[in-house]
Amino acid sequence: MALLWGYFNMFIDRVRDQLHIVLAMSPIGGAFRTRLRKFPSLVNCCTIDWFQAWPEDALEIVAQRFLEDVELSDDHRNGVVELCKNFHESTRMLSERFQREVNRHNYVTPTSY
């Protein structure tokens, strides 16, 4: 009987070491946020990999949403939105350089504003 438990434990150890699960979800819309609220381990215990760069208009919309409650004139708000887009783009380029030089990933998302 001990031999069977040894095989079972060896199997479990191998599964833990080698099993990888890939989940693909669209980050657009409320369904993604709802899933993250229901299952916080999707953020805490997983690696999130954004496969495509965010388009400029999406970056602008995210920046505008973050600044909705901040009192700014329209000129200042537009300037801050441009800065947010610039910060995001330059951080993304530096992250690519970091990955080439150190072989480590740094993921940049608009929520990092």
Side-chain angles (χ1 to χ4, degrees):
M1 189 66 156
L3 185 62
L4 286 176
W5 280 110
Y7 286 134
F8 179 74
N9 288 333
M10 183 179 73
F11 170 76
I12 294 299
D13 289 340
R14 284 192 178 190
V15 168
R16 283 185 182 146
D17 288 340
Q18 298 179 14
L19 180 66
H20 294 75
I21 297 174
V22 175
L23 298 174
M25 294 181 232
S26 172
I28 298 171
F32 184 64
R33 286 189 298 275
T34 302
R35 283 189 198 105
L36 294 180
R37 278 194 299 273
K38 285 183 180 178
F39 308 103
S41 62
L42 288 173
V43 174
N44 300 333
C45 303
C46 296
T47 299
I48 298 176
D49 194 356
W50 302 99
F51 292 104
Q52 296 176 346
W54 282 60
E56 191 172 322
D57 58 337
L59 292 173
E60 187 171 325
I61 291 169
V62 171
Q64 287 172 351
R65 286 235 174 106
F66 276 122
L67 296 171
E68 278 178 348
D69 299 331
V70 179
E71 286 188 34
L72 292 170
S73 67
D74 288 342
D75 289 340
H76 285 113
R77 185 177 311 279
N78 292 337
V80 172
V81 166
E82 287 301 315
L83 279 174
C84 287
K85 292 186 328 189
N86 186 302
F87 291 153
H88 178 83
E89 239 354 82
S90 60
T91 303
R92 188 187 60 75
M93 290 186 316
L94 285 171
S95 293
E96 288 175 3
R97 181 176 158 204
F98 180 73
Q99 201 276 329
R100 283 192 310 271
E101 293 178 5
V102 186
N103 202 25
R104 291 186 58 200
H105 289 281
N106 177 49
Y107 299 101
V108 180
T109 67
T111 56
S112 303
Y113 278 166

